[in-house]
Amino acid sequence: MIKYTLSAILCLALTFSSFSQKRIEPETQDITLANALKEQYPDDNVALVSSKDDVTFGMNKRDGKVTVMHHVSENMINIDSRADIQIYNFYDGESTIEEFQIRFKNKKVANFYVKDEAYTSDDLFHNDSRVKYATVDFPLKGYRYLTSIKKEYKDIKYFTKLYFNGEYPTVKKTIRIEIPNWLDIELKEMNFEGYDIEKSVRPNQKANGKIHTYTLKYAPAMYKDNASPGPTYIYPHVLILPKSYTLNGNTVNIFKETQDLYNWYKSLVNSLENDVSPIKDKVVELTENATSDEEKIKNIYYWVQDNIRYIAFEDGIAGFKPDEASNVFTKRYGDCKGMANLTKQMLIEAGFDARLTWIGTKRIAYDYSTPNLSVDNHMICTLFKDGKTIFLDGTEKFNAFGEYADRIQGKQVLIENGEDYILEYVPSSEAEFNKEQFAYSLKLSEDNITGTVDKIFNGESRSGLLYYFNSLKNDKKDEFLEYYLNKGNSNIKVSNIETSDLQNRDSNINIAYDVDVKNAVSAFDNQVYIDLDFDKELSNFMMEERKTDYIFSFKKDLESTTRLEIPQGYNITHLPENISVSSDNYNMSVNFTKENNVIIYKKQFRINNAKIETIDFEEWNGFINKLDALYNEQIILTKD
């Protein structure tokens, strides 16, 4: 019913807007439309009555590049009492913003101050990225602005996709693409399933070509969920795959096949000088006392991890061209491409076969069957040794040799191989590879619980802890360990901490310590009430008000066993009930058993695929509710 009502209101509103509007203030139909949109999109304060992407292509004959003009025009309406937003657009060395206009609904220019400045963010360095933006205020419900932004891409390679969803909900979204006959381009429709997207193709009356038009009504805003899958998995979009163009009777390939994409990548690599003279002495230093090839490789790989600071060059040509190895070595910082190139050159200098490797992390849904610059967002180094293929990612601090971060596991890679290329896949690990094993041996001591604890960390649970620990200043490390082990709880006293070598990424982390817990035991008459769980993992970890899968940083596998000695003269009169749940994505269980005079409390939490899917949410939330109730329940002992 609401959609029918909105359609009628929209038609009326567009009819009114076709006349020359003399007033800027909202009219009756604007307020009515705003109220209806607010009812449908209660979490948003601004909506788009219409949003249109117009895309046209041109040819720069001087340098033989296909250009793109992308014009976005939007009719914005405030659906709240008031709203303040920013209208913005990014550009870089490969693009320009030709028009950036904001007008009132009567089409007169709204003189908002438009800023144009370099774009930076925490710990990232965007080589040539800039942003043009204006802060816009909507003083009343139903207030409107018309925006028009024209962005030109100097090279079609950098124009990769068009989304139907955006920052704000949209009543009518239109994507219109004019393709001339001299341009061979594929419009690959991604994630269209479940959306009523109308599509038409008709001859271009003004030029020799075709016009492709897509229309989607009532497109919600992109979800604001944290830890969600990458947008290429979720939202409908058109992937732009330029194949070739014809000029003066000659056909020139752009990215017709994966080989073309590789050729362009390789041309950027071939333009590097890679003067290795600055790194020679360091390679000798790292390898001269090594007793095996593996030790030499590790010394180089770990040196890059530990001594090169990662920053990101994300835009323009710097987003695709590696920095010179000597530059990265001298500056002691670089992006993934620069770090991969330095790793490669140092290994080659040491006598090994190392290659640059392009890869898209798990945030990207594509593989190299769709040659497009958005297929990858990362670069690593591949080592071929004794018939084995080993991947090295210098950006993964404290990642052990032969181990791979979950974000690249199972992903296809493009490995340089002279004029050809090699396609491989990064091996995947099971959740057990990242196992955390906790063992508590406890007893009651007056009003406290005392005992010993042993914890073992493997895989990414180990590397993550090592990275964080070693990022701290030396005078903070002991303080961090104590805080980490007692969870910041002043009732838990941690002492006599012993650890394995917290600099060694090749071995599991072992931490042993004594624990003394206050306020975990209370006694009334002949009964003792015990709160046995100090960690309470996943407490309140509910999937509420989410629209997307929850993605963990890596696959989880926790096994925690607590053994509590029952004092002589006491019997167990209450233990919480055992709980469990299982699906393709997780296996979770909590169990209490009694063995002689010992209560054994065991938790096993395994997240098999590093995600909780939306179809699991109801079951997952049911388990977490039971888990929270269990955490709040006490063990009861009664004196004989």
Side-chain angles (χ1 to χ4, degrees), residues 249-493:
N250 298 316
T251 299
V252 179
N253 286 353
I254 304 174
F255 290 152
K256 190 171 185 179
E257 299 174 346
T258 305
Q259 183 69 51
D260 298 314
L261 178 64
Y262 173 74
N263 290 345
W264 187 72
Y265 283 161
K266 196 66 170 65
S267 70
L268 301 179
V269 172
N270 291 342
S271 69
L272 301 175
E273 295 182 5
N274 277 323
D275 175 16
V276 296
S277 54
I279 69 175
K280 286 179 175 290
D281 290 345
K282 177 55 68 174
V283 172
V284 170
E285 175 191 328
L286 293 171
T287 58
E288 62 183 347
N289 295 321
T291 58
S292 67
D293 282 351
E294 182 172 314
E295 186 178 354
K296 292 178 183 179
I297 296 165
K298 283 183 178 180
N299 288 350
I300 291 171
Y301 180 38
Y302 295 165
W303 184 88
V304 173
Q305 283 188 11
D306 294 344
N307 292 277
I308 304 300
R309 179 179 173 231
Y310 170 75
I311 60 174
F313 298 81
E314 292 196 345
D315 298 284
I317 198 68
F320 303 95
K321 181 180 179 180
D323 195 4
E324 307 279 355
S326 56
N327 289 341
V328 178
F329 178 80
T330 302
K331 296 182 296 187
R332 292 295 198 267
Y333 67 80
D335 69 349
C336 62
K337 299 174 294 298
M339 294 175 78
N341 189 37
L342 176 59
T343 304
K344 168 192 169 179
Q345 298 302 330
M346 293 180 78
L347 288 170
I348 289 175
E349 181 65 22
F352 300 104
D353 182 3
R355 321 271 185 94
L356 292 179
T357 301
W358 293 262
I359 183 172
T361 66
K362 283 191 173 180
R363 278 195 62 79
I364 294 179
Y366 321 128
D367 62 19
Y368 287 99
S369 64
T370 53
N372 178 288
L373 291 187
S374 63
V375 72
D376 48 43
N377 61 346
H378 193 39
M379 182 179 280
I380 59 177
C381 176
T382 297
L383 174 73
F384 292 103
K385 182 78 170 64
D386 300 330
K388 296 180 179 179
T389 304
I390 304 166
F391 302 105
L392 306 173
D393 186 351
T395 69
E396 292 292 343
K397 304 300 184 182
F398 286 92
N399 204 43
F401 176 71
E403 295 183 7
Y404 310 119
D406 187 81
R407 69 187 184 122
I408 65 171
Q409 288 182 23
K411 293 294 292 183
Q412 191 180 51
V413 295
L414 180 75
I415 306 171
E416 65 174 336
N417 189 39
E419 298 304 311
D420 200 357
Y421 62 88
I422 299 170
L423 291 177
E424 293 267 3
Y425 287 89
V426 178
S428 293
S429 301
E430 300 298 323
E432 187 178 7
F433 182 77
N434 304 316
K435 197 173 191 68
E436 299 175 63
Q437 294 172 286
F438 299 167
Y440 292 82
S441 181
L442 307 173
K443 62 182 180 180
L444 302 183
S445 177
E446 296 181 353
D447 294 333
N448 294 359
I449 294 178
T450 61
T452 60
V453 184
D454 290 282
K455 293 188 173 183
I456 301 173
F457 300 84
N458 303 271
E460 289 197 72
S461 68
R462 175 204 66 223
S463 58
L465 181 55
L466 285 179
Y467 173 61
Y468 188 77
F469 179 78
N470 284 281
S471 67
L472 300 171
K473 296 180 180 178
N474 286 330
D475 60 351
K476 298 290 185 181
K477 291 182 177 180
D478 290 341
E479 181 181 328
F480 163 73
L481 261 183
E482 184 173 347
Y483 181 86
Y484 177 79
L485 296 172
N486 69 13
K487 307 287 185 182
N489 188 340
S490 59
N491 287 316
I492 302 175
K493 181 181 179 182

Side-chain angles (χ1 to χ4, degrees), residues 58-83:
M59 170 59 70
N60 185 334
K61 295 181 180 180
R62 184 175 58 187
D63 57 14
K65 291 181 179 179
V66 178
T67 61
V68 183
M69 181 61 75
H70 182 201
H71 181 201
V72 180
S73 53
E74 295 180 335
N75 186 334
M76 313 184 80
I77 186 170
N78 178 30
I79 61 176
D80 230 329
S81 57
R82 64 165 293 115

Side-chain angles (χ1 to χ4, degrees), residues 403 433 435 437 455-459 462 466 500-502 504-511:
E403 295 183 7
F433 182 77
K435 197 173 191 68
Q437 294 172 286
K455 293 188 173 183
I456 301 173
F457 300 84
N458 303 271
R462 175 204 66 223
L466 285 179
S500 56
D501 182 3
L502 296 181
N504 185 357
R505 71 206 78 195
D506 290 316
S507 298
N508 298 330
I509 295 178
N510 292 270
I511 303 176

Side-chain angles (χ1 to χ4, degrees), residues 564-594:
L564 175 67
E565 182 180 332
I566 302 171
Q568 287 187 347
Y570 282 86
N571 292 313
I572 303 171
T573 52
H574 178 74
L575 288 176
E577 291 186 9
N578 298 336
I579 59 174
S580 65
V581 69
S582 181
S583 78
D584 291 340
N585 288 315
Y586 49 78
N587 300 95
M588 320 279 284
S589 64
V590 181
N591 295 285
F592 291 86
T593 57
K594 179 179 179 295

